[in-house]
Amino acid sequence: MDKYAVIGNPIKQSMSPVIHSAFATETSQDLEYGKLFAEVDDFKPVVDEFFAAGARGLNVTAPFKLDAFQYADCLTERARSAGAVNTLALQEDGRLLGDNTDGPGLVSDIRDNLGWQIRGKKLLVLGAGGATRGTLLPLLNEQPARLHIANRTVSKAHQLAEDFQRFGSVTAGGLEDIPAGFDLIINASAAGLSGERPHIDASVVGPDCCVYDMVYGAEPTPFMRWAEPLGARTADGLGMLVGQAAEAFHLWRGVRPSEAPVQAMLREALRKKLGAAAD
């Protein structure tokens, strides 16, 4: 039986084993998927041992995506542009391919699951950290009319815009001077991870705007709750979580699983968890 896992620190909270087990059942794939914990400085020895024991692939979560980038023998273009790897796949020649499936997971959720348009639209991305860098190339490959990066530290936003300028029309600035009237807004800032939202002017929300928050939970996020009264359609990042896993599964197994049933299963689990907490 082929072995796969997710590595992180912490790792208990990861839903990857549930997701990939569901994918395997759906696609009749014979595999085993587990969790790997590593101390912050022990990524290489833990991963060495894992693949030496015959493993075929590995998902990588915080804080090891940069370690995985350096560990891989070869990289996809999207991993190279992201400067980070979240998926390692053993190739037939014995080399380890490093990929970053976060961006494709985001795009597939927005475009295919939600039915929102990216091509030809004015796109605002909030944040200039690793989450943004990992998604810029797949977003720009969809050919938006314009992509603007806004970040609290303006220099980081400008650096990202410069790095990705060759892939499309990219501009940058601070959170206080964002132009008005975007069609699609993606919150990739660290604010969401702490239960907060980026403080931006309501004028950035254009007519028929769609607002996507990369974080997810049992209830709408603070950023979604801010955007809904402004007339925006909103979604959280649960579909991105499932989408990036589906992309990794396809890379490993050569088959693409259906995302909708797994997303519905996870959504129901979050609701039940919220209900249990309320009781």
Side-chain angles (χ1 to χ4, degrees), residues 4-5 15 41 47 62 67 69 78 87 104 114 117 128 149 168 200 204 207 216 221 223 225 242 267:
Y4 300 87
M15 291 193 283
D41 296 327
V47 177
D67 297 271
F69 181 84
R78 60 197 186 194
T87 303
L114 296 169
Q117 294 293 316
I149 304 166
I200 58 176
V204 305
Y216 61 89
T221 68
F223 192 60
R225 291 198 298 269
V242 177
R267 185 71 69 189

Side-chain angles (χ1 to χ4, degrees), residues 172-243:
L175 294 178
E176 298 80 17
D177 57 355
I178 305 173
F182 284 91
D183 302 309
L184 173 62
I185 301 173
I186 298 172
N187 179 27
S189 70
L193 298 174
S194 55
E196 300 177 358
R197 69 168 180 86
H199 292 280
I200 58 176
D201 193 87
S203 65
V204 305
V205 179
D208 301 316
C209 183
C210 298
V211 169
Y212 191 98
D213 200 336
M214 283 193 186
V215 299
Y216 61 89
E219 299 180 298
T221 68
F223 192 60
M224 292 167 65
R225 291 198 298 269
W226 171 80
E228 283 167 357
L230 301 174
R233 288 175 285 172
T234 63
D236 69 10
L238 186 65
M240 177 182 174
L241 172 71
V242 177

Side-chain angles (χ1 to χ4, degrees), residues 17 28 30 32 38 120 160 165 179 191 234 239 246 251 276:
S28 301
D30 188 21
E32 176 184 302
L160 263 186
Q165 190 66 53
T234 63
L251 179 68

Side-chain angles (χ1 to χ4, degrees), residues 18 21 32 55 89 107-108 124 130-131 152 158 160 168 170 176-177 179 181 187 194 202-203 236 239 266 277:
V18 174
S21 294
E32 176 184 302
V107 168
S108 71
L124 170 64
R152 185 175 59 181
H158 281 298
L160 263 186
V170 187
E176 298 80 17
D177 57 355
N187 179 27
S194 55
S203 65
D236 69 10
L266 295 180

